[in-house]
Amino acid sequence: YSTGDLPLSRRREGRAGGFRYQAVQDRGSHARHLRAVRRQVEYYFTDANLRQDWFFQEKIAEDPEPGWLELRWILSCPRIRDSLRADDADVLEALK
């Protein structure tokens, strides 16, 4: 029989050269996750959002460095924290 007769999971495991489809899938999934994190963070800083987001306005105006927003405030946002489950490393990597 040919490898075409095997279930897809078995065909993937038996490839010559050690090519790992799972690793490629994981990288693709991670890249999609980082894109979603980046889009969300970029949205937070849009003019439309900052006009109405009193929380970020307040935090950006605070000391010690007015005009900047600490990473912890981005990580505290429900969409970043709960929906995307992003941590500080994810946010930093997404924004590179």
Side-chain angles (χ1 to χ4, degrees):
Y1 64 88
S2 73
T3 58
D5 298 325
L6 292 173
L8 187 57
S9 61
R10 297 256 335 257
R11 279 187 271 157
R12 289 180 178 171
E13 292 171 2
R15 292 285 177 156
F19 186 75
R20 305 256 186 229
Y21 283 87
Q22 187 62 45
V24 171
Q25 278 184 328
D26 290 346
R27 270 185 280 157
S29 176
H30 185 64
R32 281 190 302 278
H33 172 71
L34 292 178
R35 278 194 302 274
V37 170
R38 182 183 186 105
R39 279 192 309 268
Q40 188 61 41
V41 172
E42 287 175 343
Y43 168 76
Y44 290 147
F45 290 99
T46 62
D47 290 340
N49 184 62
L50 286 176
R51 256 186 249 114
Q52 63 186 10
D53 191 330
W54 62 266
F55 178 77
F56 275 176
Q57 288 177 26
E58 182 180 287
K59 297 303 177 192
I60 289 170
E62 282 182 358
D63 286 331
E65 191 76 35
W68 293 87
L69 183 67
E70 292 181 51
L71 179 58
R72 68 183 172 134
W73 300 123
I74 293 171
L75 293 172
S76 73
C77 294
R79 182 143 327 191
I80 293 289
R81 184 188 64 225
D82 302 332
S83 297
L84 295 172
R85 297 178 186 223
D87 60 14
D88 55 346
D90 291 336
V91 173
L92 294 174
E93 186 176 352
L95 296 177
K96 282 184 182 177

